[in-house]
Amino acid sequence: MILSAHQLHYIPWLRYFHKIYHSDCFVVMDNIQFNKNGWQNRNKIKTANGWAYLTIPIYQRLAQNIDEVKIDNTQTWRQKHWNALQCNYAKAPYFKDYKSFFEQIYAKEWASLNDINYEMFYFYLEALGIKTKIVKASDLKVEGIDNVRLINICKKLGADTYLSGAYALEVYLDEKVFNDAGIKVSLQDWHCPEYSQQFPKAGFIPDMSIVDLLFNHGPKSMEIMLKNDTALKAHN
C-alpha cells in the first residue's frame, strides 16, 4: 500500500493533489508544528501583474502546533481574499461553478486555521474526483517525530511504500531509516503541465493554487494535472 502525508495547506498548489491521487492512503498531518514560513496559511494566485500571495493572518506564538493556530479576525482578510478571487477569476470559464462555495467560505468567521483548511480540503478532493482514503494524524495517536513518526504511521496503517515529495530527501527524509524499517521510498516525479490561465499576456505561471486550475478548467482539472504523468519513481 502506498501512503503519503502532508500538512494541511490553505488553497494548496497542484502537486499536493497529484501526490494524494497517487496514494492509497493520505495522512493529513494536522497536529505537527506550525511553520510560519510555510504554506499552511498562504498560497499563490495569478493576477494581471504575475502572481500574488493570499495569506490568512494568524496569532503566532513560539513552537505552536497547527491545530493550535488561531486566525486573526481583527483583519479584513476574508473580504480581501474573496475580492481577489473575484477580481482575478470572474471571467474564468468555471468560476461560476464554484462561486457559491467560496462565497460561503469567506462569509463565515473561522476561528481555527485547521477548520477552514479542512473545509476547503474536502471540497477540492470532491471537485477533482479523488477517492484516496484520508486519515487524520490526530486520530492515530502515533508517537515519535520526523522520520520515526512517519514510519510508525506507515506501520500502523499497513503501508509498505512511502510516497514523498521529490525535495524531501534534501530537507528531512532519511531514506535509510525507512529502508531499515522495511518501507520503500518512492519519489513524486511531477512537473506542472501548461494549461490556459487568465491574463495570457503575463505568460504561463506554474505552481499556482488549485483554485487557478479549477476556475479555468473545472471538471477537466485532474486530467490536466495528470498530463504526461510519469507518476512515481522508485528510489533505492
Side-chain angles (χ1 to χ4, degrees), residues 157-198:
L157 295 175
D160 56 12
T161 302
Y162 179 72
L163 172 59
S164 170
Y167 303 108
L169 291 176
E170 304 171 10
V171 182
Y172 70 89
L173 191 70
D174 187 334
E175 186 179 7
K176 184 178 184 301
V177 174
F178 278 80
N179 290 339
D180 289 347
I183 298 169
K184 182 176 71 173
V185 173
S186 288
L187 299 181
Q188 183 183 25
D189 189 14
W190 184 83
H191 301 280
C192 185
E194 189 165 335
Y195 58 90
S196 60
Q197 296 176 324
Q198 298 302 292

Side-chain angles (χ1 to χ4, degrees), residues 102-119:
F102 288 95
E103 196 168 25
Q104 292 172 27
I105 284 289
Y106 293 115
K108 179 178 178 180
E109 183 171 303
W110 301 88
S112 161
L113 183 62
N114 264 8
D115 286 347
I116 185 174
N117 281 345
Y118 261 127
E119 188 77 11

